[in-house]
Amino acid sequence: MPARSPSATPPATNRAGPTDSRAELIELDALGPGGPFRSRNRLPITDLAGLPIAELSLVPSLYVHRAIAALRAAEPLSTADRLAALARAGESFATETVAELSVDEYSHAVSRISGMPISVVRHATETTWRALLGAGRDARQARPRASVDDWHDPATQGGRAVWTRRGEVFAVHAAGNHPGVHALWPQALALGYRVAVRPSRREPLTAHRLITALRAAGFGADQVAYLPTDHAVADEIIKAADLAMVYGGDDVVAKYGADPTVLVQGPGRSKILLAGEDWQRHLDTLVDSIGDEGGTACVNATAVFTDSDPGGLAAALAERLAAIPTLPPEDDRAVLPCQPTEQAAALERFLLDHAAGTTPRLGGAGITDPVAGGGVALRPAVFQVNRADAAQTGIELGFPCVWVAPWAPADGIGPLRNSLVLTALTHDERLLDQLIADPTISNVYIGDHPTYWMRPDVPHDGYLGEFLMRTKTVLRD
């Protein structure tokens, strides 16, 4: 469990809840096979105003390799013990004091560090609890029906496929854009993997809290590890593990996309298509798809294509999104994400540079708006492009930013490719056949369904179990 170290920084005040009276830094120790480890190399973790909230212990290469070796040498818990420990950990993570932080203190700290609206942090906490409770069931959704879980199954006496792990150690390079990313990888623990997580420097608290809860619930120090590193050591975690999952942008996709041992979670670039549909009837769904979770998720719509009045649609979206208030992220009513001022200014420059030649409907004069307590909110942006294949429709920025484009059947499905989610508001079955068959579109929602719809028993970007597991034939006497 982390200790607190003295800080000269005055405590922050949680406007959405009780006052945080701590005048100490949160110490985020590495969690290796020997227990908590506080390194000499510690990274300050600051809030939106640049004030230090935590210190993150960064571990060297030798520590990483010893930790991975310990995970590899360990035997997994029994299936029953794994599932019971996951359920206990989920409840503890969401309801109890973990690593000396109450749920409220944790939520407030994540909100102030990441700029995520506190309501989103709380929702992600509940989602993670449910995910851990159902991790075993959800992981097994990927198992082929003709296979069995265990070679002791009587069916193997006549020869049967057995679903087995592809390796023993699974590494995760976690993202920091949303705490909900930590709801997925515990499925690897349910399947018997030992797991090493490298947290994002942008938001390292959630992984630390979850792994602390998992260890307290019954997963030993040789079952799951928390390994913060600098960038020079990060790749060594992936190389030392059998399989890995990494999050990131196009640079990460380019770096790891051809490696069969790495599952890349890249940009979502989720989209909505209206073909033969009146967009006015679906405006609520369009707005929600763009702005839900503060526009920070890979399933938020970043481009909308319509065959009817794109200018009118862009104006209507701008009017609705402009009504979202600017509030600090720890306010219960906050909807928009926030960032430190300099970081947000760089993002604003990037957006406006790439929006050249488009028609701004919202955000053309800038997207940053200062909030109380430091930092700025990222205000929504709506830009209209004049072609379905405009390059801007592939830009995803982590706040409510959408590109509205015209589309006609002659444009085909090319502009709609490379989408994590595509909501298709159309009755054209030939078009739907093409969209569902396209390998670059991960999920197709037909009808009035928001792009952020998810359920743990259906795949998000494929089932994680498809990557972690394989079948082999077992024939025994």
Side-chain angles (χ1 to χ4, degrees), residues 28-39 41-43 45 55-72 169-175 182 185 194-212 214-215 220-246:
L28 298 173
D29 297 337
L31 300 174
F37 172 75
R38 187 166 304 165
S39 68
N41 183 13
R42 294 200 290 275
L43 178 73
I45 303 298
E55 282 189 334
L56 180 66
S57 285
L58 303 180
V59 298
S61 174
L62 180 61
Y63 188 94
V64 165
H65 285 278
R66 286 178 174 174
I68 298 293
L71 296 179
R72 189 180 304 285
V169 178
F170 181 53
V172 179
H173 275 200
H182 296 286
W185 61 258
R194 276 73 74 209
V195 177
V197 178
R198 178 185 182 263
S200 168
R201 298 181 181 196
R202 180 177 172 185
E203 196 279 277
L205 270 72
T206 299
H208 188 275
R209 180 179 179 85
L210 182 54
I211 290 171
T212 301
L214 286 163
R215 288 186 168 199
D222 59 357
Q223 299 289 317
V224 59
Y226 177 80
L227 302 177
T229 70
D230 61 23
H231 292 297
V233 179
D235 274 350
E236 297 190 36
I237 297 177
I238 293 176
K239 293 175 182 177
D242 299 314
L243 299 172
M245 178 168 63
V246 298

Side-chain angles (χ1 to χ4, degrees), residues 90-107:
E91 181 175 8
S92 177
F93 174 82
T95 66
E96 299 174 5
T97 294
V98 176
E100 299 185 16
L101 292 178
S102 69
V103 179
D104 286 344
E105 287 176 320
Y106 155 76
S107 299

